[in-house]
Amino acid sequence: MRWLRYGTDAVLVECASLAEMSAVRAAVVAAGLPDLAEVVPGARTVLIAARPGTKALEQARELVDEADLATVHDGEPREITLDVRYDGEDIDLVAETAGISADDVVALHTGATYTVAFTGFAPGFGYLTGLPEPLRQSRLDTPRTRVPAGAVAIAGEFTGVYPRSSPGGWRLLGHTEAVLFDSHADRPALLAPGDRVRFRSRS
Amino acid sequence: MSRALEIVTAGPLALVQDLGRPGHAHLGVPPSGALDVPAFRLANRLVGNPETAAGIETLLGGLTVNARASCTVAVTGPPVAVTVDGRPVGSHVPVHLTAGQTLAIGRPDAGLRCYLAVSGGLDIEPELGSRSRDVLSEIGPPPLEPGTVLPLGKPDGIPVGADTVTAPPAPRDLVVPVVLGPRDDWFGDAARQLTSPWTVTSESNRVGLRLDGSALERTSERDGAELPSEGVITGAIQVPPNGLPVVFLADHPTTGGYPVIAVVVPRALPALAQARPGTTIRFRPYA
């Protein structure tokens, strides 16, 4: 783990793995330090930003140094199930790449439990880890100019759902009617770091 | 009739802003908010509002509003011509409007963004605790258009700020203090490379300032390397593979995939918010 200076009021904690990153994020968030402005998980990093003139970065460092990073202490994780219609444009491509049938793709994708590791790209877009190995596939060579809202997709070690229509290069498996982001809701983002997610096939 | 302000002309871009919605980056939501924070706070103080009240951020002026009720207004940012029913009243001072009067903001000679505060503030439903328009994720009230009627809150403060002076005009050459890192080691002699002059391009917006100049060169071992997505903050100077830096402003994405060579110190951000295309920027790495 490395602590990299990030401007005058933030640090970037560089971790060895996604699991270590998740543990660091959870340890810092669980402590609820009042002077932290932002805790932003990334694929291998946690960005910790403090209110200027406070000791929050030093407190965060002390916390992480003392934390047991072998396990993620996220309290009671929220469990979310998303109903998906597996009619995505790339499902045959994904099946072919994996050397299995389209039905096997659905069985693998619905059989796993995922964890929201971090967000980015757009409000409410969560990068979900836990994707079974045969589904870990590269992005499309040419990204689509428009991916519809609710599209359920995969890329590399992640699966995710596009909260709104946008360009995108992930392989599309299907779509969900769930609202991923509503800025007026009590919980604006359906998926937040640490949440557990399952997909359920609905025909 | 309830207190309101009607937009007559909006200029190139007029947006509702307040101090933004920090604290939601982990959900993918940018901080947003007025880019020139000191100018925005001053405008609110001049009309007796709390500094958190919502006002209007204009780009290159051109905003004309009609008061639907008696109110106090103030325009801040770069010095700019302000008129009431065609009569000059000046910027950086509180101005009283009676119902039916029209206030017009001219085009500033230097700088980009002026702020209009109205007593009582703009009374618009907040989203995620803020009334700011975020141009990246399209959260908050849409850009203002002629005919938009903005409700006003109840004025309850006494105007203060008579001790404040007009902002200096935005310079054509800026020296910007930065802290190197977190990824300065991706670049050979990052401090020296950053001190070469950069020019603000017309591709710049509230997401970031795009700069042109001599492309920043990565070290040979980092050439062509990829960086896993990581968190970014306002002021981060991100360097895409073409070597031309982007300085993230308030509507920046919350994570990015390119190395951040340095971060602008917060006190230098208001000047960047006012930097027109063509402005020369020199970064001064700060120990």
Side-chain angles (χ1 to χ4, degrees), chain A residues 19-67:
Chain A
E20 187 177 83
M21 180 286 290
S22 298
V24 169
R25 181 202 64 78
V28 173
V29 170
L33 299 175
D35 290 325
L36 283 188
E38 303 273 10
V39 179
V40 193
R44 292 291 179 276
T45 55
V46 184
L47 170 64
I48 305 174
R51 294 187 212 294
T54 66
K55 293 278 173 206
L57 296 180
E58 289 86 337
Q59 291 166 347
R61 171 137 206 185
E62 204 172 313
L63 259 165
V64 172
D65 284 348
E66 287 168 3

Side-chain angles (χ1 to χ4, degrees), chain A residues 47-141:
Chain A
L47 170 64
I48 305 174
R51 294 187 212 294
T54 66
K55 293 278 173 206
L57 296 180
E58 289 86 337
Q59 291 166 347
R61 171 137 206 185
E62 204 172 313
L63 259 165
V64 172
D65 284 348
E66 287 168 3
D68 163 21
L69 299 179
T71 44
V72 177
H73 300 279
D74 241 336
E76 224 18 54
R78 278 187 0 125
E79 311 248 347
I80 296 147
T81 300
L82 295 173
D83 283 324
V84 178
R85 196 183 287 272
Y86 283 91
D87 57 1
E89 290 175 57
D90 302 319
I91 198 155
D92 291 333
L93 171 67
V94 170
E96 194 186 316
T97 307
I100 54 179
S101 71
D103 285 347
D104 293 337
V105 170
V106 176
L108 280 170
H109 196 252
T110 55
T113 301
Y114 304 90
T115 303
V116 182
F118 65 103
T119 65
F121 180 63
F125 187 91
Y127 289 77
L128 277 55
T129 60
L131 193 65
E133 187 59 50
L135 300 184
R136 297 185 182 189
Q137 300 181 8
S138 60
R139 284 158 216 236
L140 299 172
D141 290 338

Side-chain angles (χ1 to χ4, degrees), chain A residues 2 4-10 12 14 25 37-47 49 51-52 118-125 127 164 181-185 187-189 191-193, chain B residues 21-31 125-128 134 136-140 179-183 185 222 227-233 236 253-255 260 263-266 286-287:
Chain A
R2 286 202 303 163
L4 304 171
R5 190 177 183 192
Y6 202 134
T8 50
D9 306 302
L12 190 69
E14 193 176 50
R25 181 202 64 78
E38 303 273 10
V39 179
V40 193
R44 292 291 179 276
T45 55
V46 184
L47 170 64
R51 294 187 212 294
F118 65 103
T119 65
F121 180 63
F125 187 91
Y127 289 77
R164 56 178 190 165
F181 191 79
D182 173 1
S183 61
H184 294 289
R187 265 189 74 99
L191 309 179
Chain B
R21 49 179 74 79
H24 297 91
H26 62 290
L27 304 178
V29 178
E125 184 68 19
E127 283 185 65
L128 292 172
D134 164 2
L136 182 71
S137 43
E138 299 175 335
I139 297 174
V179 177
L180 287 178
R183 301 292 178 195
D185 61 340
R222 295 293 191 182
L227 183 71
S229 195
E230 61 190 29
V232 292
I233 58 175
T254 63
T255 58
V260 170
V263 183
V264 173
V265 306
Y286 164 106

